[in-house]
Amino acid sequence: MADGVVARVGLVVVSHVAGIADGVAELARQMAPDVLVLPAGGTDDGGVGTSFDRVLTALEQASADASGVVVTYDLGSALLTTETALELLDDDVRRLVTVVDAPLVEGTLAAAVAAQGRAGVQEVVAAAAGLAQGAAPEAGDDAEERTTLVLVNPLGLHARPAAAVARALAGLDARTTLGRPGGPGVDARSVLGVVGLALRGGDEVDLRVSGPDAATAVRTVAELVEQGFGELDGPPEPAPSPGRTSDAASTGPDFSGTAASPGVAAGPLVHLGGEEPHVPERTAAEIGSHSAAEGARLQEALRTLDARLAASSDDVVQAHRALLADPALAGTAQQLVAGGASAASAWWRVVGDARAVLAGGDEVVAGRAADVLDVGLQVLALLDPSLDAALPPAERLAGAVVVAADLLPSQVPQLAEAGVAGVATAGGARTAHASLLARGLGLPMVVGLGGAVLGLEAGVPAVLDGTAGRLTAPADPAAVAEAHERRAAAERERHEAQAAAAAPVVLPDGRRVEVRANVASVAEARAAREAGADGVGLLRTELMFLDRAELPGEEEQAAGLAAVFAALDGAPVVVRTLDVGGDKQLPALRLDPVRHGFLGERGLRHGLAHPEVLRTQVRAVLRAAASTASEVALMAPMVTFADEAQAFRDVVERAGAELQAEGAAYALPSALGVMVEVPAAALAVDELAAVVDFVSVGTNDLVQYLVAAERTLPEVAGLYRPDATAVWRTLEQVVAGARRGGCRVAVCGELAGDPETAARLVALGVDELSMAPVSVAAVKAALRP
Amino acid sequence: MSTPVTDSLTTADVVAAVTRFGAVVTENRQYLIDLDSAIGDADHGENMARGLAAALEALAAEPPASPADALKAVATTLIRKVGGASGPLYGTAFLRASTAVAGKDQLGAEDVVALLVAARDGIVSRGKAEPGDKTMVDAWTPAVEAAQAALDGGGDVSAVLAAASAAAQDGAAATVPLVARKGRASYLGERSAGHQDPGATSTAMLFAAFASVAGQ
């Protein structure tokens, strides 16, 4: 099945009045011409009420022609009729149908637009239901929970943490505000509002929550804050530099600024047109439209961009998605549209207002103005393609040193792809997203050079030193030659190191040992390739589920996986299904620390007990596997007995059969495996081997279960000894069992990443080791004869 | 040939009870319409009278072979013919009742209680209403509890249904002061207080019809 066409999701509109159902369906079809929208309104004789037969017929017809059916309804008794009809339908029809509680007109339109874009059922439902959540919170008289937290990460509530807060709160029924102690609070779901507070590390922040989910919201936000939004152990971003270099400081040919991304570049100087589009203030009537159509157009543009960005697991892009959902932008723009403005002029006005507010903040806040402009321009381009701020043609960019007033984050990858040698900006900050992206892409960049660089003559030779923070233009031929040489030398070194690490490990007896990496994101997948890993031995899929109140749908999961696969250049990958429970507690699954603790319903146990969660993920993996040249294997965590492995195999085979029946593009896994973490599994690997193609030993959990000591508890952490006799005797048993059963053995825990231990594992007969990307080169070197 | 059982409902009894229910609803059509026009959309009496008439036609056209058959025919007709909430709710009740007594020729007191429990559970799961929400659940819940108590006390079919009927009447009357929390009446908020709920009222009529047939 190379590229089967997936049928779209169909809609059924159930109303008490035939005219309402017909009208809403007609409206939806205008916006989504390829979506099947069937009305079921009024009684059989045309009266007020709902007709069981009409609903039943519509459900049967829609489910025959669509990949899923989403039902919207007007009043409670329409829901009763629909549910009664569902009860009487066949299981395989009923399985396709989801009834969504949403405002009839807006919910149906949002669902139709999502379905037109080939969204899956869950996304269509979310699109419709999202409107219900967007409604103004009721002025509740329920109790308010208050707490004061201290920000522990150095940069405090900048855009990525603010986006993480907004994501974590999505789906929770809780009105949440953040503010300075004693000051007014802002809506915690508004990234702009939160960033505008300009709260930094060490500052106190007041959290106030009311509503049914208040307790969960307080806990979720408090955890994020206490963990420093995950910015405590990564490479910390340096504190913001005190200010930008003043315009008068340098007149050339040497300009100094702030080093934002290391490396040397030389090439002709090219200016990036910094002019912003002129968006005339127009009313809907002036452009021959009307408010409802303009509102729908704006919503569609926001959704389209959101769907486009959803594929990326990049934090910066995710922060942009949070901006799209920010009530301060979309909500205010919709109000202006309702007041008569055209979609483009309303959007551009709120973008301008937000930028003006942010520009008044400190450097970190001001840096977010570029993000707002970036998102603003992308939406604007969708609303009116003639306003697209295009880059210069690629042939002028290749090999050039680009000079701009400031850079939009979305422009950085485009510049890198066009082959730009380096980037220099008059403004900007080292902490801005554009700089972050440039570092990630290895694109040399200097920021804060001052306005004088904007006046430089285009086409003159330029040399950029991203390590020293300098731009020389015009540069003399000797300087250009030296820069080219330094750049070439650096490239060579990198290639050599990479090539050396990338070579396979072959033992003297001819046996090949796979040294692979454990990854969880696109960035880590890239790092794994650059580190010379032979592939990915463990792709953790929990990242996509973290910090959010609702599960991602099949489409979103498939897109996220495909992005990771794409970064692997065809190298093989082992995807692990959701490993929750134990110390991994995901808000979206509402887990309990005891029932889902280390001895509870975790890993595959959870998946088999919640078949919809597992099925959705497996379908996403199979669909993503169709889009890559990589061999995609699939494995389940926390397996104890062979019958669980068999149940897992059944789920995978059923998902394949379903996708085949739906005509979807999919590929079955190249191999199926299970993790061996439970001693009972380790001592009976031969039984597992009868069901699966490989086993992968998760040494962290296996050691913990063997010594009966939780490694995160300081009181017993001393008992957690990976070198214990029992651990190695068990590993011997695993290898022996796998040999008897004829299946491959991998080790993907921390043990594998230690060069000495890795050699010992290989001597034992392990076929594959998988570890953090950073350990790959050292382990390969240790294993080579 | 089975020996005649006096303490049981036959297929003919079930048909007779539904016939009686239809007649009572038709007689009280205007009363139910008045109740519903105070707090709803004034269609309950009309819808139920029409739906039950269609159900009786269906029973006449194809005489049922068992109590379960009779209940199922009523269920499907009500579901198909009665628009608005009462169709799916009463339809579900009759459908679950039919399933609960599938395969039985005659219904003893235990069967009747099982049937009522299944019907009540069906209504609750379909409508998601609880006692006190000012819906038909306010008549169904005490009726089922009274029926169970009567059975536990050694009562026969007629005693079980008589107890249920009396409790349903009381339950319906007790909806007068309540503020509606489900259905279209809930849009009226406080203004829904002071009126008897039409669904609870027709439920009392249903129990009265079954009790009168069993008591004959």
Side-chain angles (χ1 to χ4, degrees), chain A residues 500-527:
Chain A
V505 173
V506 182
L507 302 180
D509 63 3
R511 186 157 70 95
R512 161 109 195 249
V513 179
E514 290 266 320
V515 179
R516 298 195 184 185
N518 302 340
V519 309
S521 65
V522 173
E524 287 183 349
R526 271 197 212 108

Side-chain angles (χ1 to χ4, degrees), chain B:
Chain B
M1 290 297 287
S2 60
T3 50
V5 180
T6 48
D7 178 28
S8 64
L9 290 181
T10 62
T11 307
D13 291 335
V14 172
V15 173
V18 174
T19 308
R20 175 96 193 106
F21 180 37
V24 174
V25 166
T26 306
E27 280 161 29
N28 290 285
R29 192 176 140 269
Q30 194 55 47
Y31 172 58
L32 290 171
I33 287 172
D34 291 345
L35 286 180
D36 200 19
S37 63
I39 61 171
D41 46 11
D43 64 355
H44 187 60
E46 182 64 39
N47 281 343
M48 287 302 292
R50 210 184 41 209
L52 286 166
L56 291 171
E57 272 174 38
L59 289 172
E62 200 171 328
S66 67
D69 271 4
L71 294 167
K72 188 170 183 184
V74 175
T76 44
T77 314
L78 291 181
I79 288 171
R80 281 173 188 274
K81 293 295 177 194
V82 182
S86 42
L89 288 171
Y90 271 115
T92 302
F94 275 92
L95 200 59
R96 299 282 171 90
S98 160
T99 310
V101 297
K104 296 190 188 288
D105 293 334
Q106 304 190 336
L107 309 180
E110 283 186 15
D111 299 325
V112 168
V113 171
L115 165 167
L116 294 179
V117 169
R120 190 264 324 262
D121 290 351
I123 285 175
V124 169
S125 77
R126 176 72 66 232
K128 318 266 181 327
E130 292 170 7
D133 285 350
K134 198 180 182 95
T135 69
M136 59 171 71
V137 171
D138 289 317
W140 273 93
T141 304
V144 171
E145 283 167 4
Q148 184 72 56
L151 176 69
D152 294 345
D156 61 5
V157 168
S158 61
V160 163
L161 284 172
S165 174
Q169 294 285 358
D170 292 346
T175 62
V176 172
L178 296 177
V179 174
R181 289 199 294 255
K182 285 278 172 189
R184 240 189 279 183
S186 62
Y187 293 105
L188 291 173
E190 296 290 336
R191 276 177 291 151
S192 63
H195 301 275
Q196 184 162 318
D197 179 63
T201 308
S202 62
T203 299
M205 291 174 184
L206 170 67
F207 278 96
F210 270 84
S212 79
V213 167
Q216 277 164 8

Side-chain angles (χ1 to χ4, degrees), chain A residues 16 43-45 48-53 56 74-77 79-81 83-85 87-88, chain B residues 41 43 47 50 76 79-85 88-89 92 95-96 125-128 184 187:
Chain A
H16 278 61
T43 59
D44 290 337
D45 46 13
V48 173
T50 44
S51 157
F52 173 82
D53 285 339
L56 190 73
D74 57 356
L75 289 174
S77 41
L79 174 64
L80 298 186
T81 303
E83 288 183 339
T84 308
E87 187 169 327
L88 299 177
Chain B
D41 46 11
D43 64 355
N47 281 343
R50 210 184 41 209
T76 44
I79 288 171
R80 281 173 188 274
K81 293 295 177 194
V82 182
L89 288 171
T92 302
L95 200 59
R96 299 282 171 90
S125 77
R126 176 72 66 232
K128 318 266 181 327
R184 240 189 279 183
Y187 293 105

Side-chain angles (χ1 to χ4, degrees), chain A residues 421-770:
Chain A
V423 180
T425 62
R430 195 184 186 283
T431 49
H433 284 157
S435 308
L436 195 72
L437 286 167
R439 286 198 289 280
L441 292 165
L443 180 65
M445 181 167 175
V446 179
V447 300
L449 285 160
V453 295
L454 299 176
L456 287 168
E457 192 185 333
V460 299
V463 169
L464 179 94
D465 188 335
T467 313
R470 251 198 326 271
L471 173 73
T472 308
D476 59 49
V480 171
E482 190 211 335
H484 276 304
E485 219 165 86
R486 276 173 63 193
R487 185 180 174 92
E491 281 283 292
R492 247 191 335 269
E493 264 174 43
R494 210 166 56 84
H495 277 298
E496 277 165 15
Q498 201 174 321
V505 173
V506 182
L507 302 180
D509 63 3
R511 186 157 70 95
R512 161 109 195 249
V513 179
E514 290 266 320
V515 179
R516 298 195 184 185
N518 302 340
V519 309
S521 65
V522 173
E524 287 183 349
R526 271 197 212 108
R529 288 303 282 161
E530 276 162 22
D534 298 326
V536 168
L538 168 61
L539 171 57
R540 300 188 174 100
T541 52
E542 293 79 42
L543 197 67
M544 228 183 251
F545 295 77
L546 283 177
D547 299 342
R548 48 193 290 170
E550 53 200 23
L551 294 173
E554 182 178 319
E555 303 277 337
E556 186 180 344
Q557 291 190 42
L561 289 164
V564 175
F565 296 169
L568 292 174
D569 297 329
V573 55
V574 179
V575 182
R576 181 178 68 185
T577 58
L578 198 54
D579 186 21
V580 294
D583 52 352
K584 299 191 197 81
Q585 304 283 337
L586 303 185
L589 295 172
R590 314 264 196 282
L591 301 182
D592 171 87
V594 175
R595 284 185 299 116
H596 304 98
F598 283 111
L599 296 181
E601 189 186 87
R602 59 175 297 207
L604 181 64
R605 299 170 181 183
H606 182 275
L608 294 177
H610 300 83
E612 209 35 49
V613 175
L614 180 61
R615 170 176 170 265
T616 303
Q617 187 179 31
V618 168
R619 284 174 55 102
V621 173
L622 267 52
R623 286 176 55 184
S627 69
T628 173
S630 294
E631 272 187 7
V632 178
L634 187 59
M635 73 175 174
M638 193 66 186
V639 173
T640 315
F641 293 115
D643 55 356
E644 293 172 300
Q646 182 62 48
F648 177 59
R649 183 173 274 282
D650 292 344
V651 169
V652 176
E653 282 168 4
R654 245 190 334 264
E658 276 171 27
L659 290 166
Q660 167 127 47
E662 290 163 22
Y666 77 101
L668 286 173
S670 60
L672 270 191
V674 293
M675 298 270 294
V676 169
E677 298 146 290
V678 181
L683 299 177
V685 162
D686 49 343
E687 291 179 5
L688 294 171
V691 183
V692 298
D693 310 311
F694 66 96
V695 295
S696 187
V697 185
T699 51
N700 303 353
D701 275 326
L702 180 60
V703 172
Q704 165 167 293
Y705 288 129
L706 279 171
V707 301
E710 227 178 285
R711 62 183 182 279
T712 50
L713 287 180
E715 292 84 353
V716 293
L719 297 173
Y720 179 87
R721 292 178 207 156
D723 56 352
T725 309
V727 170
W728 286 86
R729 282 189 187 155
T730 308
L731 288 170
E732 275 172 31
Q733 292 272 329
V734 171
V735 174
R739 288 287 163 269
R740 276 200 304 280
C743 79
R744 285 171 54 82
V745 192
V747 173
C748 66
E750 274 166 32
L751 274 186
D754 175 63
E756 267 178 47
T757 319
R760 199 170 157 193
L761 288 167
V762 168
L764 209 60
V766 168
D767 303 297
E768 174 188 316
L769 302 171
S770 194

